[in-house]
Amino acid sequence: MNKFTRVSDVNDVNALIEEAIRLKADPFASAIGSQKTLAMIFLNPSLRTRMSTQKAAHNLGMNTIV
């Protein structure tokens, strides 16, 4: 999926929910973000939001740039 801005962008919502439940149960089992980089731009300082997003990306195997 290249674009996800609304529910209508997803063909099978139930499959998406099942995958989210599977990832939440064992976030380190999948390297879904392997070989990917997440660039984060925060216009307002928010350490808690930045850290939680960065930690989630690392759990999925991504590199992050702030």
Side-chain angles (χ1 to χ4, degrees), residues 3-13:
K3 181 181 89 170
F4 179 68
T5 55
R6 57 184 163 242
V7 176
S8 62
D9 293 335
V10 179
N11 293 333
D12 187 2
V13 176

Side-chain angles (χ1 to χ4, degrees), residues 5-47:
T5 55
R6 57 184 163 242
V7 176
S8 62
D9 293 335
V10 179
N11 293 333
D12 187 2
V13 176
N14 290 331
L16 185 65
I17 293 170
E18 288 175 13
E19 182 178 359
I21 292 169
R22 183 181 55 80
L23 285 172
K24 185 164 177 81
D26 192 4
F28 302 106
S30 175
I32 197 168
S34 179
Q35 302 297 318
K36 295 181 182 175
T37 300
L38 174 66
M40 300 183 293
I41 299 172
F42 290 94
L43 302 177
N44 297 318
S46 176
L47 181 62

